[in-house]
Amino acid sequence: MEGSYRRGGRSGLLFLVLGSFVVSACEGTFIQPSLCLRGGAYSGKFEEVTKPSDVILRDHKTKVKNPPTELETKVAEKLFEGMKSNANLRMLKYLHIMSVREVLVPETEEKALVLIVPFIEMKEYRKIQEDLQKYVEENFQAHMVLIQHRRILPKEKQGHRLHKQKRPMSRTLSFVHKAWLDDIIHPHDICAEHQVFSPHSEKPTFNIYLDPKVREQCEHKLGMFSAVYKHLTGKVAVFAFLQLREGSELQKQRCPNRYPCDTAGFTITEVAPKPLLPPEGEGAQHAAPRAIEAEQEEEEAKREEAIEK
């Protein structure tokens, strides 16, 4: 558990980690632990929401530059109402959202709401995601996707270090995009994926395959997955299901991991071998090459024996 120690003085506030509570040295009282953000804002996942504006979690500087939009305000009000009316959404009084984006699905002309939530609060959001998704779809007539807020650091050049420490792997562009992909299709998993390069485009197309067991649950959401992923990353992705239940035993093989080798796990063409011996009832003209060679060798052996005699 994390906490902070508050100390009075002219120098300002001094924060030290002591335990699961925050102690005030001046007043001698305990307050709830919270997450210290930039710009002097003091808020976090343990802080209870008392009004709709508290649902949107932003520091003071960001609120001045980028105030909440009309869509974000409307979503915050609905979440605040659902917290009181729905017993399954009571945990929302301790959760927040950082921003809301609206994505249009071009294939079906549907809408999807992308809720970007704090990284530390995603674990609690997953517990109520099913009830929250039903509530949002009923009120906004749109799909809902929960995305963790992640930070992408630029790649450092040799001799020009941007930060004091080496850039962690979780802050790279490729890692963040893969994490967003997992958030979009949650609670489903990816069975296989590969890239298709076309000579007419600079960027590849990502073919992502899901488990056919969840076809009934998310088949109508494949277009939404592609639209949201393109909106967040700018990459083109095509979602489909692996063909594992149909075909021969050779076509039912499962790829062992997320990145298959060659065509493992995908639909492949099976070529039946030619018979070595001719079928019964047919003449010698349809005989296999090996059978013809054997007959020729026997004839040559007989000729040699006749010449020797």
Side-chain angles (χ1 to χ4, degrees), residues 69 95 104 109 114 118 151 153 191 220 230 234 260 280 285 287 308:
T69 61
L95 303 178
L104 181 64
E109 296 184 356
V114 181
R151 187 181 179 188
L153 296 179
C191 290
H220 62 285
K230 185 176 182 180
E280 298 180 358
Q285 57 182 356
E308 290 177 357

Side-chain angles (χ1 to χ4, degrees), residues 270-282:
E270 184 180 1
V271 180
K274 295 182 179 180
L276 298 177
L277 299 176
E280 298 180 358
E282 296 185 6

Side-chain angles (χ1 to χ4, degrees), residues 28-75:
T29 57
F30 288 94
I31 59 178
Q32 291 181 341
S34 56
L35 183 66
C36 184
L37 302 177
R38 294 183 178 181
Y42 194 64
S43 179
K45 69 171 187 176
F46 297 101
E47 191 168 310
E48 186 174 353
V49 175
T50 58
K51 53 185 177 179
S53 60
D54 295 341
V55 177
I56 303 174
L57 181 63
R58 291 181 182 174
D59 55 5
H60 180 69
K61 291 183 179 180
T62 307
K63 283 185 178 180
V64 174
K65 294 182 180 180
N66 300 321
T69 61
E70 183 179 355
L71 178 62
E72 293 175 349
T73 304
K74 188 176 180 180
V75 172

Side-chain angles (χ1 to χ4, degrees), residues 78-140:
K78 289 295 181 181
L79 294 180
F80 188 77
E81 294 176 1
M83 174 189 67
K84 295 183 176 181
S85 60
N86 194 338
N88 297 329
L89 302 178
R90 291 180 180 177
M91 192 60 192
L92 287 175
K93 65 180 180 180
Y94 298 110
L95 303 178
H96 308 81
I97 59 174
M98 302 191 70
S99 62
V100 181
R101 302 180 184 180
E102 187 176 9
V103 181
L104 181 64
V105 182
E107 299 176 356
T108 58
E109 296 184 356
E110 298 178 347
K111 296 181 180 180
L113 295 180
V114 181
L115 275 63
I116 300 178
V117 302
F119 182 88
I120 198 173
E121 297 181 1
M122 178 58 83
K123 185 177 180 180
E124 303 296 333
Y125 267 107
R126 293 303 186 198
K127 298 178 182 179
I128 60 173
Q129 181 172 356
E130 294 184 4
D131 298 324
L132 181 62
Q133 189 170 4
K134 294 178 182 178
Y135 178 77
V136 172
E137 290 178 355
E138 291 177 358
N139 289 273
F140 293 94

Side-chain angles (χ1 to χ4, degrees), residues 195-198 201-206 235-236:
Q195 302 178 18
V196 178
F197 293 84
S198 175
S201 62
E202 298 179 356
K203 297 182 180 181
T205 301
F206 294 83
K235 299 178 180 179
V236 180

Side-chain angles (χ1 to χ4, degrees), residues 24-25 54-55 76 82 94-95 127 139 144 146 149 161 172 193 201 205 217 224 255 274 304:
S24 176
D54 295 341
V55 177
Y94 298 110
L95 303 178
K127 298 178 182 179
N139 289 273
M144 188 203 72
L146 292 176
H149 180 265
R161 173 156 288 189
T172 59
E193 65 175 339
S201 62
T205 301
Q217 304 176 14
M224 185 267 293
C255 55
K274 295 182 179 180
E304 293 178 357

